[in-house]
Amino acid sequence: MVPTVCAEPYNPDEDDDDDSELKIVHPKTDQQRCRLQEACKDILLFKTLEKEQFSEVLDAMFEVLVKPNEHIIDQGDDGDNFYVIERGVYDIQVEKDGVSRCVGKYDNKGSFGELALMYNTPRAATIIAVQPGALWALDRETFHRLIVKNNAKKRKMYEAFIECVPLLKSLELSERMKMVDVLGAKTFKDGEQIIKQGDAADCFYIVESGVVKIMIKRKAKAGRPRSEDEDEDEEVEVEVSRCVRGQYFGELALVTNKPRAASVYAVGGTKCLVIDVQAFERLLGPCKEIMKRNIALYHEQLVALFGSSEDLKR
Ligand code: 1OR
Ligand code: 1OR
């Protein structure tokens, strides 16, 4: 089947809410439904869907088992499905000027294959299974009917906010809107942990409402006298900074390829926009210089706070 390619920009206002469109349902066992729900619970593209739309997405998804070295997507092809990873490791390869490079990997979580379906473009990368794996696929038509339609709403909802995030000023409007297309929104309760120091990192955050506090673990003995019964290796968490609406966090581990350097907690109810590491790499390149300048300031602030930046090194 040759997929049809539509060059018209999508306009939600011209699209009737046509419930008579055929809903695709792939029947699943209870066990399959459970595994699918688990695989989809952190997928950012699904985070802004209404409950009913999300349920339709789950109905339409079907399981795909893959073998090592299998190409799930080939760069340049037309888009057929969007994929959510249940398990397996997948290399991301991008060919440029005849040279193919591995630019990243998915390790037992995440999703891929949304770009060709969202923008009617050829596949932008090749995705290859490194080990036997399991994926959940969503067909192009259902993706369009539910996800692309929802994206039009997302753009309306987040455009004004994204326009006033200082970090993103150096991006073109169209690039900021592409960010909105792939971002997810997460809410956190007072005191809830958003990032844990030492964890591996796979996403980046912008505060949309509320406040977060950044806490660093350091040895209790450093910088203050220790009582005799205190454990020598006891660690205490110290607040070092806060972020409010329009500010970002979680960039450090992505820029340095290291574990999370601090823990982050919600102060009161907080809502954050979340971007995965692949979208961060793909879209936030032009903002990296600003982030790096601010990261250099962390070290100065650390010295001002504790008299040494040694504790930051993990
Ligand atoms: P797609 O439908 O174009 C290939 O099919 C998929 O690979 C693509 O959607 C994304 O979901 C995923 N650039 C483009 N696509 C990427 C990238 C990527 N990473 C994953 N995909 N870059 C790598 C970022 C780490 C930028 C490379 C220059
Ligand atoms: P991350 O990916 O390492 C924790 O996850 C995030 O906390 C980190 O990215 C930054 O976005 C944010 N040192 C380390 N991380 C900080 C700091 C910081 N401030 C904010 N983050 N400072 C040095 C403190 C000892 C800043 C001091 C004001």
Side-chain angles (χ1 to χ4, degrees), residues 224-253:
R224 71 169 173 84
R226 186 164 44 93
S227 63
E228 264 180 20
D229 57 348
E230 210 173 322
D231 182 353
E232 193 179 336
D233 287 328
E234 194 199 352
E235 288 184 317
V236 287
E237 257 190 347
V238 190
E239 181 175 333
V240 292
S241 163
R242 288 191 173 211
C243 295
V244 297
R245 180 175 163 84
Q247 294 182 314
Y248 64 88
F249 60 94
E251 83 297 358
L252 183 58

PDB file of all heavy atoms in Angstrom, residues 224-253:
ATOM      1  N   ARG A 224      30.376  21.721  58.268  1.00  0.00           N
ATOM      2  CA  ARG A 224      29.825  22.003  59.598  1.00  0.00           C
ATOM      3  C   ARG A 224      30.348  20.966  60.593  1.00  0.00           C
ATOM      4  O   ARG A 224      30.668  19.825  60.228  1.00  0.00           O
ATOM      5  CB  ARG A 224      28.293  22.028  59.583  1.00  0.00           C
ATOM      6  CG  ARG A 224      27.647  20.672  59.397  1.00  0.00           C
ATOM      7  CD  ARG A 224      26.153  20.789  59.660  1.00  0.00           C
ATOM      8  NE  ARG A 224      25.457  19.570  59.337  1.00  0.00           N
ATOM      9  CZ  ARG A 224      25.353  18.536  60.165  1.00  0.00           C
ATOM     10  NH1 ARG A 224      25.905  18.566  61.359  1.00  0.00           N
ATOM     11  NH2 ARG A 224      24.696  17.461  59.798  1.00  0.00           N
ATOM     12  N   PRO A 225      30.455  21.344  61.835  1.00  0.00           N
ATOM     13  CA  PRO A 225      30.982  20.409  62.823  1.00  0.00           C
ATOM     14  C   PRO A 225      30.036  19.228  62.985  1.00  0.00           C
ATOM     15  O   PRO A 225      28.818  19.371  62.856  1.00  0.00           O
ATOM     16  CB  PRO A 225      31.050  21.237  64.107  1.00  0.00           C
ATOM     17  CG  PRO A 225      30.412  22.541  63.815  1.00  0.00           C
ATOM     18  CD  PRO A 225      30.055  22.641  62.383  1.00  0.00           C
ATOM     19  N   ARG A 226      30.580  18.065  63.269  1.00  0.00           N
ATOM     20  CA  ARG A 226      29.793  16.844  63.354  1.00  0.00           C
ATOM     21  C   ARG A 226      29.804  16.372  64.801  1.00  0.00           C
ATOM     22  O   ARG A 226      30.833  16.375  65.459  1.00  0.00           O
ATOM     23  CB  ARG A 226      30.455  15.810  62.441  1.00  0.00           C
ATOM     24  CG  ARG A 226      29.740  14.522  62.264  1.00  0.00           C
ATOM     25  CD  ARG A 226      30.311  13.807  61.047  1.00  0.00           C
ATOM     26  NE  ARG A 226      31.761  13.866  61.013  1.00  0.00           N
ATOM     27  CZ  ARG A 226      32.553  12.935  61.515  1.00  0.00           C
ATOM     28  NH1 ARG A 226      32.045  11.888  62.135  1.00  0.00           N
ATOM     29  NH2 ARG A 226      33.860  13.029  61.419  1.00  0.00           N
ATOM     30  N   SER A 227      28.634  15.960  65.280  1.00  0.00           N
ATOM     31  CA  SER A 227      28.612  15.452  66.645  1.00  0.00           C
ATOM     32  C   SER A 227      29.192  14.036  66.638  1.00  0.00           C
ATOM     33  O   SER A 227      29.240  13.390  65.599  1.00  0.00           O
ATOM     34  CB  SER A 227      27.184  15.447  67.188  1.00  0.00           C
ATOM     35  OG  SER A 227      26.414  14.573  66.418  1.00  0.00           O
ATOM     36  N   GLU A 228      29.562  13.528  67.811  1.00  0.00           N
ATOM     37  CA  GLU A 228      30.306  12.273  67.865  1.00  0.00           C
ATOM     38  C   GLU A 228      29.521  11.066  67.374  1.00  0.00           C
ATOM     39  O   GLU A 228      30.068  10.171  66.736  1.00  0.00           O
ATOM     40  CB  GLU A 228      30.779  12.022  69.299  1.00  0.00           C
ATOM     41  CG  GLU A 228      32.197  12.503  69.452  1.00  0.00           C
ATOM     42  CD  GLU A 228      32.710  12.279  70.850  1.00  0.00           C
ATOM     43  OE1 GLU A 228      32.131  11.443  71.552  1.00  0.00           O
ATOM     44  OE2 GLU A 228      33.684  12.957  71.215  1.00  0.00           O
ATOM     45  N   ASP A 229      28.195  11.066  67.661  1.00  0.00           N
ATOM     46  CA  ASP A 229      27.412   9.895  67.274  1.00  0.00           C
ATOM     47  C   ASP A 229      26.933   9.974  65.816  1.00  0.00           C
ATOM     48  O   ASP A 229      26.220   9.107  65.341  1.00  0.00           O
ATOM     49  CB  ASP A 229      26.216   9.710  68.221  1.00  0.00           C
ATOM     50  CG  ASP A 229      25.343  10.946  68.262  1.00  0.00           C
ATOM     51  OD1 ASP A 229      25.792  11.995  67.741  1.00  0.00           O
ATOM     52  OD2 ASP A 229      24.234  10.860  68.804  1.00  0.00           O
ATOM     53  N   GLU A 230      27.355  10.992  65.114  1.00  0.00           N
ATOM     54  CA  GLU A 230      26.896  11.135  63.732  1.00  0.00           C
ATOM     55  C   GLU A 230      27.736  10.256  62.798  1.00  0.00           C
ATOM     56  O   GLU A 230      28.950  10.210  62.924  1.00  0.00           O
ATOM     57  CB  GLU A 230      27.052  12.602  63.306  1.00  0.00           C
ATOM     58  CG  GLU A 230      26.034  13.027  62.273  1.00  0.00           C
ATOM     59  CD  GLU A 230      26.120  14.529  62.016  1.00  0.00           C
ATOM     60  OE1 GLU A 230      26.342  15.289  62.966  1.00  0.00           O
ATOM     61  OE2 GLU A 230      26.008  14.914  60.877  1.00  0.00           O
ATOM     62  N   ASP A 231      27.032   9.570  61.901  1.00  0.00           N
ATOM     63  CA  ASP A 231      27.730   8.699  60.952  1.00  0.00           C
ATOM     64  C   ASP A 231      28.608   9.549  60.030  1.00  0.00           C
ATOM     65  O   ASP A 231      28.178  10.553  59.479  1.00  0.00           O
ATOM     66  CB  ASP A 231      26.649   7.960  60.133  1.00  0.00           C
ATOM     67  CG  ASP A 231      27.251   6.983  59.152  1.00  0.00           C
ATOM     68  OD1 ASP A 231      28.485   6.983  59.014  1.00  0.00           O
ATOM     69  OD2 ASP A 231      26.467   6.241  58.540  1.00  0.00           O
ATOM     70  N   GLU A 232      29.823   9.075  59.847  1.00  0.00           N
ATOM     71  CA  GLU A 232      30.782   9.844  59.056  1.00  0.00           C
ATOM     72  C   GLU A 232      30.303  10.062  57.614  1.00  0.00           C
ATOM     73  O   GLU A 232      30.530  11.087  57.008  1.00  0.00           O
ATOM     74  CB  GLU A 232      32.120   9.101  59.051  1.00  0.00           C
ATOM     75  CG  GLU A 232      33.244   9.969  58.534  1.00  0.00           C
ATOM     76  CD  GLU A 232      34.568   9.228  58.570  1.00  0.00           C
ATOM     77  OE1 GLU A 232      34.697   8.277  59.375  1.00  0.00           O
ATOM     78  OE2 GLU A 232      35.443   9.580  57.792  1.00  0.00           O
ATOM     79  N   ASP A 233      29.601   9.012  57.088  1.00  0.00           N
ATOM     80  CA  ASP A 233      29.190   9.095  55.691  1.00  0.00           C
ATOM     81  C   ASP A 233      27.759   9.606  55.522  1.00  0.00           C
ATOM     82  O   ASP A 233      27.204   9.568  54.436  1.00  0.00           O
ATOM     83  CB  ASP A 233      29.299   7.720  55.027  1.00  0.00           C
ATOM     84  CG  ASP A 233      30.756   7.365  54.800  1.00  0.00           C
ATOM     85  OD1 ASP A 233      31.543   8.303  54.573  1.00  0.00           O
ATOM     86  OD2 ASP A 233      31.083   6.170  54.867  1.00  0.00           O
ATOM     87  N   GLU A 234      27.169  10.065  56.605  1.00  0.00           N
ATOM     88  CA  GLU A 234      25.782  10.509  56.511  1.00  0.00           C
ATOM     89  C   GLU A 234      25.671  11.665  55.514  1.00  0.00           C
ATOM     90  O   GLU A 234      26.510  12.562  55.492  1.00  0.00           O
ATOM     91  CB  GLU A 234      25.290  10.984  57.877  1.00  0.00           C
ATOM     92  CG  GLU A 234      23.782  11.114  57.891  1.00  0.00           C
ATOM     93  CD  GLU A 234      23.289  12.001  59.021  1.00  0.00           C
ATOM     94  OE1 GLU A 234      24.099  12.397  59.873  1.00  0.00           O
ATOM     95  OE2 GLU A 234      22.105  12.294  59.024  1.00  0.00           O
ATOM     96  N   GLU A 235      24.625  11.572  54.686  1.00  0.00           N
ATOM     97  CA  GLU A 235      24.456  12.633  53.699  1.00  0.00           C
ATOM     98  C   GLU A 235      23.237  13.459  54.056  1.00  0.00           C
ATOM     99  O   GLU A 235      22.233  12.926  54.530  1.00  0.00           O
ATOM    100  CB  GLU A 235      24.282  12.020  52.320  1.00  0.00           C
ATOM    101  CG  GLU A 235      25.567  11.429  51.792  1.00  0.00           C
ATOM    102  CD  GLU A 235      25.398  10.907  50.386  1.00  0.00           C
ATOM    103  OE1 GLU A 235      24.380  10.266  50.105  1.00  0.00           O
ATOM    104  OE2 GLU A 235      26.291  11.152  49.571  1.00  0.00           O
ATOM    105  N   VAL A 236      23.328  14.754  53.839  1.00  0.00           N
ATOM    106  CA  VAL A 236      22.167  15.604  54.056  1.00  0.00           C
ATOM    107  C   VAL A 236      21.819  16.270  52.729  1.00  0.00           C
ATOM    108  O   VAL A 236      22.684  16.471  51.886  1.00  0.00           O
ATOM    109  CB  VAL A 236      22.444  16.694  55.122  1.00  0.00           C
ATOM    110  CG1 VAL A 236      22.495  16.087  56.502  1.00  0.00           C
ATOM    111  CG2 VAL A 236      23.723  17.446  54.811  1.00  0.00           C
ATOM    112  N   GLU A 237      20.534  16.570  52.565  1.00  0.00           N
ATOM    113  CA  GLU A 237      20.118  17.263  51.345  1.00  0.00           C
ATOM    114  C   GLU A 237      19.985  18.743  51.642  1.00  0.00           C
ATOM    115  O   GLU A 237      19.329  19.121  52.614  1.00  0.00           O
ATOM    116  CB  GLU A 237      18.769  16.714  50.873  1.00  0.00           C
ATOM    117  CG  GLU A 237      18.921  15.792  49.719  1.00  0.00           C
ATOM    118  CD  GLU A 237      17.608  15.402  49.070  1.00  0.00           C
ATOM    119  OE1 GLU A 237      16.524  15.639  49.641  1.00  0.00           O
ATOM    120  OE2 GLU A 237      17.661  14.859  47.974  1.00  0.00           O
ATOM    121  N   VAL A 238      20.595  19.554  50.809  1.00  0.00           N
ATOM    122  CA  VAL A 238      20.575  20.994  51.026  1.00  0.00           C
ATOM    123  C   VAL A 238      19.905  21.668  49.832  1.00  0.00           C
ATOM    124  O   VAL A 238      20.195  21.334  48.681  1.00  0.00           O
ATOM    125  CB  VAL A 238      22.023  21.543  51.105  1.00  0.00           C
ATOM    126  CG1 VAL A 238      22.024  22.987  51.581  1.00  0.00           C
ATOM    127  CG2 VAL A 238      22.882  20.684  52.001  1.00  0.00           C
ATOM    128  N   GLU A 239      18.997  22.597  50.113  1.00  0.00           N
ATOM    129  CA  GLU A 239      18.362  23.317  49.005  1.00  0.00           C
ATOM    130  C   GLU A 239      19.357  24.314  48.420  1.00  0.00           C
ATOM    131  O   GLU A 239      19.982  25.078  49.162  1.00  0.00           O
ATOM    132  CB  GLU A 239      17.115  24.056  49.507  1.00  0.00           C
ATOM    133  CG  GLU A 239      16.435  24.791  48.381  1.00  0.00           C
ATOM    134  CD  GLU A 239      15.127  25.459  48.790  1.00  0.00           C
ATOM    135  OE1 GLU A 239      14.468  24.989  49.738  1.00  0.00           O
ATOM    136  OE2 GLU A 239      14.793  26.460  48.140  1.00  0.00           O
ATOM    137  N   VAL A 240      19.513  24.279  47.080  1.00  0.00           N
ATOM    138  CA  VAL A 240      20.473  25.204  46.469  1.00  0.00           C
ATOM    139  C   VAL A 240      19.812  26.221  45.550  1.00  0.00           C
ATOM    140  O   VAL A 240      20.398  27.248  45.231  1.00  0.00           O
ATOM    141  CB  VAL A 240      21.572  24.458  45.682  1.00  0.00           C
ATOM    142  CG1 VAL A 240      22.477  23.690  46.624  1.00  0.00           C
ATOM    143  CG2 VAL A 240      20.999  23.560  44.615  1.00  0.00           C
ATOM    144  N   SER A 241      18.583  25.913  45.132  1.00  0.00           N
ATOM    145  CA  SER A 241      17.972  26.852  44.192  1.00  0.00           C
ATOM    146  C   SER A 241      16.495  26.513  43.986  1.00  0.00           C
ATOM    147  O   SER A 241      16.046  25.442  44.396  1.00  0.00           O
ATOM    148  CB  SER A 241      18.784  26.750  42.903  1.00  0.00           C
ATOM    149  OG  SER A 241      18.139  27.270  41.833  1.00  0.00           O
ATOM    150  N   ARG A 242      15.759  27.424  43.366  1.00  0.00           N
ATOM    151  CA  ARG A 242      14.350  27.175  43.027  1.00  0.00           C
ATOM    152  C   ARG A 242      14.090  27.595  41.590  1.00  0.00           C
ATOM    153  O   ARG A 242      14.794  28.472  41.084  1.00  0.00           O
ATOM    154  CB  ARG A 242      13.426  27.970  43.962  1.00  0.00           C
ATOM    155  CG  ARG A 242      13.421  27.388  45.357  1.00  0.00           C
ATOM    156  CD  ARG A 242      12.344  27.968  46.245  1.00  0.00           C
ATOM    157  NE  ARG A 242      12.350  27.205  47.502  1.00  0.00           N
ATOM    158  CZ  ARG A 242      11.296  26.986  48.259  1.00  0.00           C
ATOM    159  NH1 ARG A 242      10.133  27.510  47.933  1.00  0.00           N
ATOM    160  NH2 ARG A 242      11.390  26.267  49.358  1.00  0.00           N
ATOM    161  N   CYS A 243      13.124  26.975  40.947  1.00  0.00           N
ATOM    162  CA  CYS A 243      12.722  27.394  39.598  1.00  0.00           C
ATOM    163  C   CYS A 243      11.235  27.711  39.615  1.00  0.00           C
ATOM    164  O   CYS A 243      10.456  26.989  40.249  1.00  0.00           O
ATOM    165  CB  CYS A 243      12.931  26.287  38.573  1.00  0.00           C
ATOM    166  SG  CYS A 243      14.637  25.829  38.304  1.00  0.00           S
ATOM    167  N   VAL A 244      10.851  28.769  38.913  1.00  0.00           N
ATOM    168  CA  VAL A 244       9.446  29.159  38.807  1.00  0.00           C
ATOM    169  C   VAL A 244       9.026  29.135  37.336  1.00  0.00           C
ATOM    170  O   VAL A 244       9.823  28.783  36.467  1.00  0.00           O
ATOM    171  CB  VAL A 244       9.216  30.572  39.409  1.00  0.00           C
ATOM    172  CG1 VAL A 244       9.528  30.577  40.890  1.00  0.00           C
ATOM    173  CG2 VAL A 244      10.060  31.609  38.667  1.00  0.00           C
ATOM    174  N   ARG A 245       7.772  29.519  37.095  1.00  0.00           N
ATOM    175  CA  ARG A 245       7.202  29.518  35.738  1.00  0.00           C
ATOM    176  C   ARG A 245       8.180  30.097  34.697  1.00  0.00           C
ATOM    177  O   ARG A 245       8.761  31.167  34.903  1.00  0.00           O
ATOM    178  CB  ARG A 245       5.926  30.371  35.763  1.00  0.00           C
ATOM    179  CG  ARG A 245       5.202  30.480  34.438  1.00  0.00           C
ATOM    180  CD  ARG A 245       3.901  31.235  34.649  1.00  0.00           C
ATOM    181  NE  ARG A 245       3.339  31.736  33.394  1.00  0.00           N
ATOM    182  CZ  ARG A 245       2.575  31.010  32.585  1.00  0.00           C
ATOM    183  NH1 ARG A 245       2.285  29.763  32.897  1.00  0.00           N
ATOM    184  NH2 ARG A 245       2.107  31.526  31.466  1.00  0.00           N
ATOM    185  N   GLY A 246       8.371  29.345  33.630  1.00  0.00           N
ATOM    186  CA  GLY A 246       9.222  29.826  32.534  1.00  0.00           C
ATOM    187  C   GLY A 246      10.674  29.394  32.663  1.00  0.00           C
ATOM    188  O   GLY A 246      11.440  29.534  31.726  1.00  0.00           O
ATOM    189  N   GLN A 247      11.039  28.873  33.852  1.00  0.00           N
ATOM    190  CA  GLN A 247      12.427  28.421  34.027  1.00  0.00           C
ATOM    191  C   GLN A 247      12.541  26.916  33.760  1.00  0.00           C
ATOM    192  O   GLN A 247      11.554  26.194  33.822  1.00  0.00           O
ATOM    193  CB  GLN A 247      12.908  28.757  35.439  1.00  0.00           C
ATOM    194  CG  GLN A 247      13.004  30.263  35.647  1.00  0.00           C
ATOM    195  CD  GLN A 247      13.525  30.631  37.022  1.00  0.00           C
ATOM    196  OE1 GLN A 247      13.079  30.086  38.028  1.00  0.00           O
ATOM    197  NE2 GLN A 247      14.457  31.570  37.060  1.00  0.00           N
ATOM    198  N   TYR A 248      13.752  26.458  33.473  1.00  0.00           N
ATOM    199  CA  TYR A 248      13.959  25.063  33.102  1.00  0.00           C
ATOM    200  C   TYR A 248      14.901  24.372  34.079  1.00  0.00           C
ATOM    201  O   TYR A 248      15.656  25.033  34.795  1.00  0.00           O
ATOM    202  CB  TYR A 248      14.529  24.971  31.685  1.00  0.00           C
ATOM    203  CG  TYR A 248      15.911  25.587  31.548  1.00  0.00           C
ATOM    204  CD1 TYR A 248      17.062  24.824  31.791  1.00  0.00           C
ATOM    205  CD2 TYR A 248      16.075  26.915  31.197  1.00  0.00           C
ATOM    206  CE1 TYR A 248      18.324  25.383  31.680  1.00  0.00           C
ATOM    207  CE2 TYR A 248      17.338  27.489  31.092  1.00  0.00           C
ATOM    208  CZ  TYR A 248      18.456  26.712  31.337  1.00  0.00           C
ATOM    209  OH  TYR A 248      19.700  27.259  31.242  1.00  0.00           O
ATOM    210  N   PHE A 249      14.857  23.037  34.081  1.00  0.00           N
ATOM    211  CA  PHE A 249      15.813  22.232  34.855  1.00  0.00           C
ATOM    212  C   PHE A 249      15.918  20.851  34.214  1.00  0.00           C
ATOM    213  O   PHE A 249      15.107  20.491  33.356  1.00  0.00           O
ATOM    214  CB  PHE A 249      15.402  22.129  36.333  1.00  0.00           C
ATOM    215  CG  PHE A 249      14.052  21.481  36.553  1.00  0.00           C
ATOM    216  CD1 PHE A 249      13.944  20.118  36.814  1.00  0.00           C
ATOM    217  CD2 PHE A 249      12.891  22.233  36.492  1.00  0.00           C
ATOM    218  CE1 PHE A 249      12.701  19.521  37.007  1.00  0.00           C
ATOM    219  CE2 PHE A 249      11.645  21.645  36.681  1.00  0.00           C
ATOM    220  CZ  PHE A 249      11.556  20.291  36.935  1.00  0.00           C
ATOM    221  N   GLY A 250      16.972  20.114  34.633  1.00  0.00           N
ATOM    222  CA  GLY A 250      17.155  18.772  34.085  1.00  0.00           C
ATOM    223  C   GLY A 250      17.979  18.769  32.811  1.00  0.00           C
ATOM    224  O   GLY A 250      18.055  17.742  32.125  1.00  0.00           O
ATOM    225  N   GLU A 251      18.596  19.918  32.486  1.00  0.00           N
ATOM    226  CA  GLU A 251      19.416  19.996  31.277  1.00  0.00           C
ATOM    227  C   GLU A 251      20.825  19.473  31.512  1.00  0.00           C
ATOM    228  O   GLU A 251      21.489  18.995  30.591  1.00  0.00           O
ATOM    229  CB  GLU A 251      19.494  21.454  30.785  1.00  0.00           C
ATOM    230  CG  GLU A 251      20.536  22.359  31.460  1.00  0.00           C
ATOM    231  CD  GLU A 251      20.334  22.588  32.960  1.00  0.00           C
ATOM    232  OE1 GLU A 251      19.352  22.076  33.511  1.00  0.00           O
ATOM    233  OE2 GLU A 251      21.185  23.254  33.572  1.00  0.00           O
ATOM    234  N   LEU A 252      21.302  19.567  32.787  1.00  0.00           N
ATOM    235  CA  LEU A 252      22.719  19.317  33.063  1.00  0.00           C
ATOM    236  C   LEU A 252      23.131  17.889  32.680  1.00  0.00           C
ATOM    237  O   LEU A 252      24.112  17.683  31.976  1.00  0.00           O
ATOM    238  CB  LEU A 252      23.001  19.614  34.548  1.00  0.00           C
ATOM    239  CG  LEU A 252      24.438  19.469  35.012  1.00  0.00           C
ATOM    240  CD1 LEU A 252      25.368  20.368  34.219  1.00  0.00           C
ATOM    241  CD2 LEU A 252      24.560  19.805  36.505  1.00  0.00           C
ATOM    242  N   ALA A 253      22.360  16.915  33.141  1.00  0.00           N
ATOM    243  CA  ALA A 253      22.692  15.515  32.852  1.00  0.00           C
ATOM    244  C   ALA A 253      22.626  15.237  31.343  1.00  0.00           C
ATOM    245  O   ALA A 253      23.406  14.439  30.828  1.00  0.00           O
ATOM    246  CB  ALA A 253      21.733  14.592  33.598  1.00  0.00           C
TER     247      ALA A 253
END
